[in-house]
Amino acid sequence: IERLEHKSRRPDVLVDETLIEAFYDARIGADVVDLASFEVWRKEAEKTEPKLLHLSRDQLMRHEAEGITTERFPASLNVLGQKLRLLYLHEPGAADDGVTLVVPLAMLNQIPANRCEWLVPGLLEEKVGALLKTVPQKHRHRLQPVADSAAAFMARFEAGDFDTDETLMQALQRFVEERVQLKLPLESFRAENLRAHCFMNFRVIDEHGRVLGQSRSLAELRARYRDQVEARFRAARIEAPPQVREAPGAAPAQAAPARGDVANEVSAMAGLTAWTFGTLPELLEIKVAGREVIGFPALHDDGDSVSLRPFDTPEEAQRVHRRGLARLFALTLKDQVRAIERLPGLRELALQYMPFGTDAELKTRLVEATLMRTCLLDPLPADAAAFERRCAEARPRVTLIAQEFMRLAGELVAGNAALQKRLAGLRTFPEAVADIQAQIGALLPKDFLVAFPWERLAQFPRYLKAAAVRIDKLRNNPARDQQAVKEWAELARQWERESQTRRRAGVLDPQLEEFRWLLEELRVGLFAQELKTPMPVSVKRLQKIWDSRPR
């Protein structure tokens, strides 16, 4: 019953000690004056009524405890098939006040951050009400009484209208917009004003159950224990056969080997220089620090070979896998790779490329970019047959594609050099220079050849030319430039805030990535309209796209 008090955050579920004392006082005989007389009385009384002094659950609870059910206050949270414990404490000011999720270290990066924002159903309504109270008064008056609005939200939640894979704030934003018939910025909700128990507490434990640390910031814990998690997955042993995924368009996969055979086969998959490991598994059941968890497999680039390794998140596995797969293609297409490294004009390009890396780094990135465009097309090969088909399709195209990358790289490094020279002479316009440098820095990081797909890179010369046109116009009308920067920056800040929120939650949003390039096109429209854009762009149009995007 005390645990129920912690769950419901009410101290009045258990009856008080006065009532408990009255219960015993009414039953114990008047001749009982000490322990000895009590024992004599008790033995006699219990012969006819064995449970005379037993208090029932109902006698100890007040009626207000109704509704504290397992559904509203679950004992665990299911994460990738694992039931992780949920603990409840009602002690305002305590580090673990509220609900705590006990997280094994190996699963730290697998915890669904968005889902945890929703807490548990029994605590969600209070959190929703608290968030609604932070909405600015000009909108909040339409939500009054707030308790009714929170109850309406909960009714839709219980009806399954919301997807807990998205953030609670986004669902609440849509709910409020529908209720007040107005657009409401996400920052209207001031989560920082909420009490600590309105956020999930995460307690990280090691393989022995010892507490390593706890925090209400999942991102902070992930950063703190990143190296330890990586180390445990590097040392992981595979204890069960993987679930096998069929390659799209391929014939059905053959039956998986016996349990022990798969474990031995996959655990030995290192030093690979060809696709000799059958169908790539979709998931791996692995043992990390003595605990069976799900791992996401990826080919890891080991330099002169690849290995099949488990990773703790599909995003990390995908990132590593593309590099590893590129290495396996490079090993298989070694003649074509050597031809890239001997292309005429490469030495001259390396001299221009010096601000971005060495001659060896240029060759490495040129090879990788070429293989990404010729071999790493979706869907990625998932078995030996699909891999060989992709190699056969790529062989006649590799040299031609590499030459296209060389031409584009030469154009970009030359354009960058010209811009840097001109920017050095604009000391009287420091704000414009800083903005253009930030733009160039985002477009041309050291690894720009492999950081962006070809379709994006092909637009970069136009973006650099637009920056040059902007410089041409700057001296004649600096006020117009300042106004254009102000309009662009207002949109860019909204995008940046949302992008940071998604990155912290470990969520990839293709629509945000698409909007990032609309912002780049908007620069062309604002500063060099004569260069044209592939689609109509304006501040008003992009703001409308931003406001109407699915959230």
Side-chain angles (χ1 to χ4, degrees):
I1 295 170
E2 288 176 341
R3 284 198 295 271
L4 291 179
E5 288 189 329
H6 287 301
K7 287 182 177 181
S8 64
R9 302 190 64 76
R10 295 188 60 172
D12 59 350
V13 180
L14 181 66
V15 298
D16 61 34
E17 291 187 353
T18 303
L19 291 174
I20 297 174
E21 180 186 352
F23 169 86
Y24 288 115
D25 188 49
R27 284 162 176 73
I28 297 174
D31 54 338
V32 173
V33 295
D34 55 20
L35 183 59
S37 58
F38 170 75
E39 286 298 323
V40 171
W41 171 86
R42 183 184 63 80
K43 289 177 182 178
E44 187 63 30
E46 288 183 350
K47 286 179 181 179
T48 56
E49 194 174 349
K51 293 189 176 182
L52 175 65
L53 298 180
H54 286 217
L55 275 158
S56 70
R57 178 186 175 93
D58 290 341
Q59 288 171 314
L60 285 168
M61 288 181 67
R62 300 182 190 272
H63 293 298
E64 289 86 343
E66 293 176 2
I68 308 174
T69 63
T70 302
E71 289 73 24
R72 289 174 56 78
F73 297 92
S76 61
L77 180 69
N78 193 305
V79 178
L80 293 175
Q82 299 265 16
K83 289 186 176 181
L84 304 186
R85 278 192 305 154
L86 289 170
L87 306 175
Y88 300 87
L89 178 68
H90 180 208
E91 191 177 329
D96 50 355
D97 181 36
V99 56
T100 294
L101 180 65
V102 181
V103 184
L105 179 61
M107 295 184 67
L108 182 56
N109 292 327
Q110 298 179 348
I111 301 302
N114 287 355
R115 168 64 189 83
C116 291
E117 284 190 19
W118 297 76
L119 300 176
V120 297
L123 297 177
L124 178 59
E125 187 166 355
E126 180 188 353
K127 180 173 184 176
V128 168
L131 283 169
L132 291 177
K133 289 177 182 177
T134 68
V135 173
Q137 178 60 36
K138 62 181 179 179
H139 300 311
R140 190 169 70 245
H141 76 278
R142 296 194 181 191
L143 299 170
Q144 299 291 355
V146 169
D148 289 353
S149 293
F153 181 91
M154 289 303 297
R156 290 186 55 184
F157 169 76
E158 289 164 3
D161 288 356
F162 301 121
D163 181 1
T164 54
D165 287 338
E166 72 171 339
T167 70
L168 171 62
M169 301 280 272
Q170 289 170 322
L172 192 58
Q173 179 187 36
R174 280 202 317 277
F175 169 80
V176 171
E177 287 180 342
E178 292 169 9
R179 203 164 178 87
V180 304
Q181 295 298 304
L182 287 172
K183 285 293 179 184
L184 189 72
L186 200 60
E187 52 270 22
S188 298
F189 299 101
R190 305 296 298 274
E192 64 272 17
N193 293 348
L194 271 57
R195 294 179 180 177
H197 72 270
C198 290
F199 303 92
M200 182 79 79
N201 183 49
F202 302 95
R203 180 178 298 166
V204 182
I205 59 172
D206 66 11
E207 52 270 28
H208 306 294
R210 291 179 299 222
V211 177
L212 298 175
Q214 67 178 14
S215 172
R216 298 188 191 270
S217 170
L218 191 57
E220 185 268 323
L221 288 171
R222 286 172 173 170
R224 192 193 313 177
Y225 298 109
R226 180 179 58 238
D227 294 342
Q228 293 185 43
V229 175
E230 288 180 0
R232 279 162 170 75
F233 266 82
R234 279 197 301 270
R237 292 188 300 112
I238 298 166
E239 295 291 344
Q243 299 176 25
V244 177
R245 171 170 60 89
E246 296 177 4
Q254 296 180 347
R259 189 178 183 90
D261 293 341
V262 174
N264 292 334
E265 178 187 349
V266 180
S267 61
M269 286 184 181
L272 300 167
T273 56
W275 196 299
T276 56
F277 44 89
T279 301
L280 187 70
E282 182 180 357
L283 300 173
L284 297 173
E285 295 177 18
I286 58 176
K287 184 160 281 190
V288 178
R291 184 186 186 94
E292 285 192 4
V293 299
I294 293 296
F296 300 90
L299 289 176
H300 184 271
D301 181 3
D302 297 331
D304 55 358
S305 65
V306 298
S307 55
L308 185 63
R309 300 186 187 181
F311 292 85
D312 57 344
T313 66
E315 292 80 13
E316 180 65 8
Q318 183 182 51
R319 185 189 68 80
V320 172
H321 183 64
R322 294 187 75 87
R323 299 273 181 172
L325 198 52
R327 174 63 64 188
L328 195 59
F329 276 117
L331 293 168
T332 305
L333 301 172
K334 52 183 178 296
D335 292 340
Q336 286 73 23
V337 168
R338 279 197 290 268
I340 294 175
E341 295 172 342
R342 297 169 182 168
L343 282 172
L346 196 55
R347 184 181 295 276
E348 292 78 6
L349 177 59
L351 293 174
Q352 294 177 283
Y353 189 80
M354 285 178 64
F356 299 93
T358 63
D359 175 64
E361 287 172 329
L362 171 61
K363 290 179 180 177
T364 298
R365 290 166 185 163
L366 189 59
V367 168
E368 185 178 347
T370 301
L371 293 178
M372 285 173 65
R373 191 176 170 200
T374 55
C375 300
L376 296 177
L377 308 174
D378 291 328
L380 297 177
D383 59 24
F387 179 80
E388 186 48 49
R389 282 197 301 273
R390 191 64 59 84
C391 287
E393 293 165 358
R395 280 189 181 92
R397 301 177 59 231
V398 167
T399 301
L400 179 62
I401 296 298
Q403 289 172 333
E404 288 187 18
F405 270 109
M406 280 185 61
R407 176 193 57 76
L408 181 59
E411 190 174 353
L412 292 177
V413 296
N416 174 67
L419 278 174
Q420 296 300 336
K421 190 173 181 179
R422 296 190 66 185
L423 288 172
L426 287 177
R427 295 178 182 175
T428 53
F429 301 99
E431 292 181 358
V433 169
D435 183 58
I436 295 172
Q437 288 288 24
Q439 178 192 12
I440 296 172
L443 291 173
L444 298 179
K446 297 287 187 183
D447 62 345
F448 69 87
L449 273 175
V450 295
F452 306 101
W454 170 264
E455 293 74 19
R456 298 298 183 192
L457 279 173
Q459 305 300 322
F460 284 17
R462 183 167 52 89
Y463 297 155
L464 297 186
K465 189 174 181 181
V469 171
R470 176 184 176 182
I471 293 173
D472 292 339
K473 298 177 178 179
L474 180 60
R475 292 185 187 278
N476 294 331
N477 197 342
R480 183 185 179 282
D481 187 274
Q482 289 177 348
Q483 180 61 31
V485 170
K486 182 179 178 181
E487 292 176 357
W488 183 90
E490 180 58 36
L491 263 173
R493 276 194 295 271
Q494 297 176 56
W495 172 83
E496 182 60 34
R497 278 196 298 266
E498 184 73 9
S499 297
Q500 287 180 355
T501 300
R502 294 304 182 93
R503 281 195 297 270
R504 283 196 296 268
V507 176
L508 298 176
D509 189 337
Q511 289 187 329
L512 279 177
E513 179 65 14
E514 189 66 31
F515 195 82
R516 179 255 189 276
W517 299 111
L518 287 177
L519 287 171
E520 205 62 55
E521 293 296 341
L522 182 60
R523 280 186 178 275
V524 178
L526 289 171
F527 300 109
Q529 197 171 19
E530 59 269 37
L531 294 183
K532 307 298 182 184
T533 56
M535 76 293 289
V537 292
S538 67
V539 172
K540 187 175 180 180
R541 186 182 294 268
L542 262 66
Q543 186 66 62
K544 187 175 181 181
I545 292 173
W546 179 259
D547 290 339
S548 62
R549 75 195 192 284
R551 288 171 284 181

